[in-house]
Amino acid sequence: MSEHVEAGDGNGAGNAGVNENDDARRNENANGPALRARSAPPEEPVSGAESEAISGGGGGTATSTRVPEGAGAAKRSTDPTRLLRRSARRKERVPTAGGSTLHLLVLSSTLEDTTVVDLATRTVMRVRVPWPEGHEPDISTFDVVEVTLADDPERDDLAQPEATTVADLPRHVGTLRGRHLRKLLRRLVASPDGPLLGFPGPSAPYWEFRGFRPSVALIEPTRRPQLIRRQADGTTWVRFGWDRDDVWLPVEDRNAARALDAARRERLSGKSLATALGFEPQYLLVTVSPPRDGHCYKVCAAVLPRG
């Protein structure tokens, strides 16, 4: 069975309790924030190997903001590895109220859509970022960013139930690498059971979506991917195996398209693909596009390494 996509063109208690509270307030005034911190779980020290998993800084096009270098409490609180360890100790839900702050791992980013993982809950999300006109996103795959949800997060798209809107540009706080990243990605991989993204074929009418199916999946192909440049219109496609299906999807990953250009080839696979990309492709990030001519299409948003 083959999924071959043709892309569309547009788409308490009494006085005793009171006395205890008064005593607590007097102690807090005397001892300051350190007293309040005792109620929080102690943070584990970061080992040398773990500290190597984080790197901050980086360049861009002066759009997202980046945390200044320094060793303050604010920087420690947004350490990507600490955020991951903290999430493993407690269960949370993704905040949905306007003004909520989220720390997100970037998987892919375009002007139209940014796919991320919320580090507190390890939930895949899609965020709409108000990028300035004429500027491409300056955040990269596996960057960790801080965002604030807009007053109206607009969580009402039935074709993209994970999508939400943020109030401003993301603030870069670091980059996640190494074994922490590899473990996280491995946990996110979708099982190759049933149709990709919950519906058969390359697309579905927008009116068929009810908000019950995911619009994004991190998959590990059952057959190695091939990158293909279609001569008719110059578009980039990826061909791969999913369960027993032979799947073709249009690619929105700019780096994948550049790999074909750099290699001056119309088709790349195996070692030549890994050489052109600069890494061995392990995962594909597949998403549902916005409606184009009344249909939503499956697209490959990113070709990703093991971590």
Side-chain angles (χ1 to χ4, degrees), residues 23-288:
D23 291 339
R25 279 193 292 270
R26 285 194 293 272
N27 288 335
E28 180 173 307
N29 291 334
N31 297 307
L35 183 63
R36 294 194 297 272
R38 292 174 192 161
S39 62
E43 293 190 336
E44 306 167 15
V46 180
S47 67
E50 290 171 340
S51 65
E52 292 176 359
I54 307 117
S55 60
T61 56
T63 52
S64 67
T65 58
R66 295 181 179 265
V67 177
E69 292 299 326
K75 185 175 181 180
R76 288 196 301 272
S77 67
T78 52
D79 180 321
T81 305
R82 289 179 184 271
L83 290 168
L84 270 177
R85 287 207 306 270
R86 193 177 303 156
S87 73
R89 294 197 294 263
R90 64 177 186 244
K91 294 182 179 179
E92 297 180 351
R93 291 185 178 181
V94 177
T96 58
S100 299
T101 299
L102 306 177
H103 293 102
L104 310 172
L105 174 71
V106 177
L107 298 181
S108 72
S109 183
T110 65
L111 287 172
E112 190 176 63
D113 179 52
T114 299
T115 304
V116 297
V117 181
D118 175 50
L119 291 181
T121 61
R122 307 187 185 194
T123 301
V124 178
M125 302 174 60
R126 304 175 73 170
V127 295
R128 309 179 194 96
V129 179
W131 298 108
E133 186 177 355
H135 288 274
E136 290 291 327
D138 70 337
I139 51 178
S140 304
T141 302
F142 305 145
D143 278 352
V144 176
V145 299
E146 180 181 281
V147 301
T148 302
L149 296 186
D151 292 337
D152 179 8
E154 301 176 304
R155 296 179 57 88
D156 55 1
D157 190 331
L158 299 182
Q160 300 179 0
E162 308 91 345
T164 189
T165 301
V166 300
D168 207 343
L169 300 179
R171 185 173 70 97
H172 184 276
V173 299
T175 302
L176 191 63
R177 302 189 186 282
R179 64 185 180 89
H180 296 282
L181 175 60
R182 291 193 294 270
K183 288 174 65 177
L184 177 60
L185 294 178
R186 173 56 59 186
R187 292 178 179 178
L188 295 174
V189 172
S191 173
D193 298 326
L196 183 58
L197 291 175
F199 62 94
S203 66
Y206 182 73
W207 55 265
E208 286 189 357
F209 291 88
R210 296 289 184 269
F212 301 127
R213 293 191 297 236
S215 72
V216 56
L218 183 68
I219 68 167
E220 188 171 12
T222 53
R223 188 179 66 252
R224 289 188 174 185
Q226 299 178 344
L227 278 184
I228 301 168
R229 175 68 46 77
R230 195 164 71 171
Q231 294 182 351
D233 56 9
T235 55
T236 304
W237 293 67
V238 63
R239 181 183 184 182
F240 61 95
W242 174 255
D243 196 9
R244 289 174 291 181
D245 292 341
D246 179 30
V247 185
W248 294 62
L249 295 179
V251 177
E252 295 186 343
D253 185 343
R254 297 187 301 270
N255 293 328
R258 292 190 191 112
L260 282 171
D261 294 337
R264 299 183 180 181
R265 300 269 297 274
E266 299 297 319
R267 185 184 297 259
L268 289 172
S269 61
K271 291 184 178 180
S272 60
L273 176 57
T275 300
L277 290 172
F279 58 82
E280 182 76 28
Q282 182 78 13
Y283 305 112
L284 300 176
L285 184 68
V286 179
T287 63
V288 173

